[in-house]
């Protein structure tokens, strides 16, 4: 019999009280999320009074199962960047005032969050960003552009990186919590080849931020960024744990074909995709189980790389199942989703999924960058000659 420690007792007791409260009266999703926060169950690892119980993070599954059984919608699905990335960064680097200000609206989904990192000339090479944050009395003035900002058009706040001291590389970068409703901030849609526009460009034109928007120390935002990216990859990986494997969609298509349209060679290609998908599921479960004790390590890059390459391969196979009809795609109407859950491709739309999946090769870091990360941070290999020479040049600049 498994031992139950004090943390688990506290979590289960709080869950039982929350369930009894919600079962006693009708509630809206917002009321349920508020009650969950007050019970310390929004994220059990956070401090008491800030939506948590100071308990082990892996006990969150107890809360998720209990709320799902009651039919409470997932706050994570409504505000994934807030729940996973913003909350993790504010917990690790935020002041008590920032935590008191932001935790509740994050977990009650009153404030939706996005990420403001990539720029036109600083995508894979994020340290090359040019957005500037300059002191203006007791405030910060932002000037620059951000791109590929998922759901920025429905977001209230964004985590933003900006250069606060001129220089090269990761030095002189700071992190800010940016209210996207401030004057001087404009969000423009970026239309994808599917017609959808879930990504955006954010223009910063002398936007004035209060001093309280700075998170962490001045010029030390790179450490915040690394924690953010690790949290992002872990959140994506954890969400995929509960999702139906994408390969199942093309398996269903394949099984619907007449026998004479299922040649052995094509069947072997599908079996290889199924094996890769199942292995990835097992690897993800293993990594997630280890990572729940804290901010995940570089192993998230292994999952990100494997998923980035597998998803396009799956839907390339799916489109080919249709033969020449797989090239028919007639709906390029521009759509901007109104919720996070409204973005992406709906199950069964293989042609749209094929077009959308091409972005997997660059989203969250290109596959080339992921391989560098794996080589250097996991395998301990030396930096390649170009990156090493670039780093030396940057260090030589005063």
């Amino acid at each position: 019999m498994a031992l139950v420690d004090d943390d688990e007792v506290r979590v289960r007791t709080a869950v039982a009280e929350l369930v009894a409260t919600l079962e006693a009266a009708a509630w809206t999703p917002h009321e349920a999320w508020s009650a969950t926060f007050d019970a310390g169950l929004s994220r059990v690892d956070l401090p008491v009074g800030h939506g948590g119980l100071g308990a082990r993070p892996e006990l969150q599954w107890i809360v998720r199962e209990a709320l799902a059984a009651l039919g409470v919608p997932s706050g994570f699905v409504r505000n994934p960047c807030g729940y996973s990335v913003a909350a993790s960064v504010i917990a690790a680097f935020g002041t008590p005032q920032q935590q008191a200000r932001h935790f509740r609206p994050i977990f009650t989904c009153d404030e939706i969050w996005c990420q403001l990192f990539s720029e036109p000339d600083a995508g894979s090479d994020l340290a090359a960003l040019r957005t500037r944050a300059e002191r203006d009395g007791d405030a910060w003035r932002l000037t620059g552009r951000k791109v590929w900002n998922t759901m920025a058009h429905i977001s209230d706040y964004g985590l933003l990186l900006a250069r606060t001291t001129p220089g090269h590389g990761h030095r002189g970068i700071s992190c800010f919590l940016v209210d996207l409703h401030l004057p001087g901030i404009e969000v423009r849609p970026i239309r994808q080849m599917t017609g959808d526009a879930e990504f955006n460009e954010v223009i910063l034109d002398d936007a004035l931020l209060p001093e309280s928007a700075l998170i962490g120390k001045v010029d030390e935002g790179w450490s915040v960024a690394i924690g953010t990216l690790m949290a992002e990859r872990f959140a994506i990986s954890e969400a995929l744990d509960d999702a139906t494997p994408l390969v199942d969609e093309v398996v269903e298509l394949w099984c619907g074909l007449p026998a004479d349209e299922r040649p052995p060679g094509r069947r072997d290609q599908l079996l290889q995709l199924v094996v890769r998908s199942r292995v990835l599921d097992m690897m993800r479960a293993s990594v997630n189980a280890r990572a729940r004790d804290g901010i995940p390590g570089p192993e998230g890059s292994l999952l990100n790389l494997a998923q980035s390459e597998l998803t396009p391969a799956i839907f390339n196979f799916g489109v080919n199942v249709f033969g020449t009809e797989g090239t028919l795609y007639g709906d390029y109407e521009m759509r901007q989703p109104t919720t996070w859950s409204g973005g992406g491709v709906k199950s069964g739309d293989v042609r749209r999924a094929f077009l959308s999946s091409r972005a997997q090769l660059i989203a969250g870091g290109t596959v080339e960058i992921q391989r560098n990360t794996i080589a250097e941070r996991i395998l301990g290999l030396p930096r390649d000659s170009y990156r090493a020479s670039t780093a030396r040049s940057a260090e030589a600049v005063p």
Side-chain angles (χ1 to χ4, degrees):
M1 179 180 295
L3 296 177
V4 178
D5 60 17
D6 290 343
D7 277 1
E8 186 168 346
V9 169
R10 288 191 295 123
V11 170
R12 290 191 179 278
T13 299
V15 167
E17 293 174 354
L18 174 62
V19 168
T21 298
L22 294 177
E23 287 180 333
W27 43 264
T28 65
H30 185 271
E31 289 169 340
W33 295 327
S34 295
T36 302
F37 184 89
D38 292 334
L41 298 172
S42 291
R43 247 184 63 173
V44 297
D45 59 310
L46 294 178
V48 174
H50 288 305
L53 295 173
R56 291 182 287 112
E58 61 265 30
L59 297 174
Q60 193 67 40
W61 70 268
I62 300 172
V63 184
R64 286 201 303 266
E65 288 193 353
L67 293 180
L70 288 174
V72 177
S74 169
F76 176 90
V77 170
R78 177 71 181 274
N79 193 15
C81 186
Y83 266 60
S84 59
V85 179
S88 296
V89 168
I90 294 171
F93 300 96
T95 64
Q97 293 77 16
Q98 288 171 327
Q99 293 173 357
R101 165 63 184 84
H102 290 290
F103 278 149
R104 175 178 282 277
I106 284 175
F107 291 114
T108 59
C109 299
D110 285 315
E111 291 177 350
I112 306 300
W113 283 70
C114 68
Q115 192 169 297
L116 303 170
F117 280 16
S118 296
E119 298 185 7
D121 296 315
S124 298
D125 185 11
L126 183 58
L129 64 85
R130 297 180 180 179
T131 293
R132 295 293 306 274
E134 299 177 322
R135 285 281 191 184
D136 188 343
D138 58 355
W140 293 92
R141 192 171 293 278
L142 286 180
T143 303
R145 295 168 63 198
K146 298 291 181 176
V147 291
W148 311 120
N149 311 120
T150 308
M151 298 299 171
H153 63 285
I154 64 166
S155 297
D156 302 290
Y157 272 84
L159 275 169
L160 178 141
L161 291 180
R163 188 163 295 284
T164 42
T165 298
H168 294 265
H170 63 270
R171 294 175 297 176
I173 293 174
S174 300
C175 189
F176 297 88
L177 312 177
V178 178
D179 182 349
L180 292 176
H181 303 296
L182 289 174
I185 298 179
E186 180 186 359
V187 179
R188 300 174 182 173
I190 297 176
R191 188 173 183 178
Q192 301 143 238
M193 62 181 173
T194 58
D196 300 321
E198 61 198 66
F199 301 126
N200 300 269
E201 179 181 28
V202 176
I203 309 299
L204 306 157
D205 185 9
D206 279 344
L208 199 62
L209 303 183
E211 176 65 30
S212 60
L214 175 71
I215 186 163
K217 296 180 179 179
V218 175
D219 291 344
E220 295 185 13
W222 191 251
S223 59
V224 180
I226 294 302
T228 300
L229 294 172
M230 293 300 180
E232 177 190 32
R233 288 168 187 161
F234 177 62
I236 293 171
S237 175
E238 191 171 38
L240 288 172
D241 263 356
D242 299 324
T244 301
L246 298 176
V247 75
D248 289 1
E249 290 192 37
V250 296
V251 168
E252 185 177 347
L253 284 175
W254 174 263
C255 292
L257 293 174
D260 61 352
E261 295 182 19
R262 290 183 284 170
R266 297 284 288 154
R267 181 193 60 199
D268 289 347
Q269 292 175 13
L270 178 58
L271 287 174
Q272 290 176 22
L273 292 173
V274 171
V275 170
R276 288 172 62 185
S277 179
R278 300 298 183 254
V279 169
L280 182 59
D281 289 342
M282 290 186 285
M283 184 171 73
R284 183 184 302 111
S286 175
V287 170
N288 287 350
R290 295 195 305 271
R292 288 190 178 98
D293 287 332
I295 292 179
E299 294 87 352
S301 292
L302 292 170
L303 294 172
N304 195 61
L305 174 61
Q307 190 71 56
S308 296
E309 296 183 322
L310 178 59
T311 299
I314 287 173
F315 288 114
N316 183 66
F317 183 94
V319 165
N320 286 333
V321 166
F322 291 110
T324 56
E325 292 185 2
T327 62
L328 299 178
Y329 183 82
D331 181 10
Y332 291 97
E333 179 184 352
M334 179 171 150
R335 301 178 181 86
Q336 276 195 288
T338 57
T339 64
W340 272 86
S341 58
V345 179
K346 301 298 182 288
S347 177
D349 194 345
V350 174
R351 294 177 180 86
R352 184 178 292 269
F354 167 75
L355 294 177
S356 179
S357 70
R358 312 317 295 172
Q360 290 285 327
L361 298 172
I362 58 174
T366 66
V367 293
E368 292 81 8
I369 293 296
Q370 293 302 320
R371 288 193 175 94
N372 275 340
T373 301
I374 292 167
E376 296 169 10
R377 301 191 63 196
I378 299 178
L379 300 180
L381 298 177
R383 302 181 77 178
D384 65 61
S385 57
Y386 172 77
R387 285 160 58 81
S389 63
T390 301
R392 286 193 297 270
S393 298
E395 290 171 358
V397 175

